[in-house]
Every structure is written in C-alpha cells, then in structure tokens.
Amino acid sequence: SSGINAEYGGFMLLVYLILLTVTICITIVCIYFLLNSEDYRWQWTSFLSAASTGFYIYLYAIYYFIFKTKMYGLFQTVFYFSNMFVFSLGFGIMCGTVGYLACRVFIYKIYATVKID
C-alpha cells in the first residue's frame, strides 16, 4: 500500500516539473517576441502570461461544475466555486512567479552579453 503512494508522489513530481518547464519556456518565448518588437515593459507581461494558467483552470472548473457534477444548492455551489477560486488564484500566482523569475534571469543573461562601444 505504501508503494502505491510513493508512485503517485513520483508521478506528481514529474508532472510538476513538466509544468514548470513548459511555463518557463512559453513565458521566455513570449517575452522574447515582446522584446523583438521593442516593447520593454516585460515585467507584468511575463507574470500575467504565466499566471493565465490559473484563469484556464477556473474556466475548466466552471465547465466541470456544469457538465460533470450533480451538485445543487447554494452552499455546495458557493463552497465549490470559492475553493476553486482560491486554488486557481494560488496556482496562477505560483506559475506567474516562476514565469517572471525565469524571464528575469533570461533578460539579465541576454543583456549581459550586449557590448556598448
């Protein structure tokens, strides 16, 4: 029984690492295109482009509530949506922070190689 739980933990760690890798790569590509268009306001764009994952999770929670669950009543609805809002917000802040920090490192690396003569 404990072996099964360890497998789930390893699988969840792998999924989490894939999420971080994809978030970092997508955010860096978005900021790279933003910098190529000579728009240097990258800070909020990097955070919000990665944090938008939380918004999509909340949209899926709405879909799941409408089409998959059999919940009804005010208490169940408020409880479900408030919990999903908190989870989606936390998830968005986590992904946004990772995206921002990755872009910050990326930008410092590319501007460190620029030589002004």
Side-chain angles (χ1 to χ4, degrees), residues 6 10 18-19 31 36 44-45 51 55-56 67 75 89 103 112:
I18 291 171
L19 169 74
I31 296 307
N36 271 344
W44 280 109
T45 305
F55 177 71
Y56 291 115
F67 294 109
F75 181 73
L89 183 66
C103 286

Side-chain angles (χ1 to χ4, degrees), residues 16 20 23-24 27 42-53 89-105:
Y16 181 70
L20 292 181
T23 300
I24 288 168
T27 308
W42 61 270
Q43 289 89 358
W44 280 109
T45 305
S46 66
F47 181 83
L48 293 175
S49 65
S52 65
T53 309
L89 183 66
F91 197 83
I93 290 171
M94 178 195 69
C95 288
T97 302
V98 167
Y100 170 78
L101 293 174
C103 286
R104 185 179 174 120
V105 169

Side-chain angles (χ1 to χ4, degrees), residues 22-98:
V22 169
T23 300
I24 288 168
C25 291
I26 295 297
T27 308
I28 286 175
V29 167
C30 288
I31 296 307
Y32 180 76
F33 285 128
L34 187 74
L35 292 175
N36 271 344
S37 67
E38 297 182 3
D39 186 358
Y40 299 104
R41 297 170 295 173
W42 61 270
Q43 289 89 358
W44 280 109
T45 305
S46 66
F47 181 83
L48 293 175
S49 65
S52 65
T53 309
F55 177 71
Y56 291 115
I57 287 177
Y58 196 72
L59 285 180
Y60 182 74
I62 293 170
Y63 164 80
Y64 189 83
F65 181 81
I66 293 171
F67 294 109
K68 302 290 183 186
T69 66
K70 305 283 189 242
M71 286 190 240
Y72 59 91
L74 180 65
F75 181 73
Q76 287 180 336
T77 304
V78 169
F79 186 76
Y80 176 80
F81 284 111
S82 62
N83 278 334
M84 287 311 300
F85 177 77
V86 170
F87 175 76
S88 301
L89 183 66
F91 197 83
I93 290 171
M94 178 195 69
C95 288
T97 302
V98 167

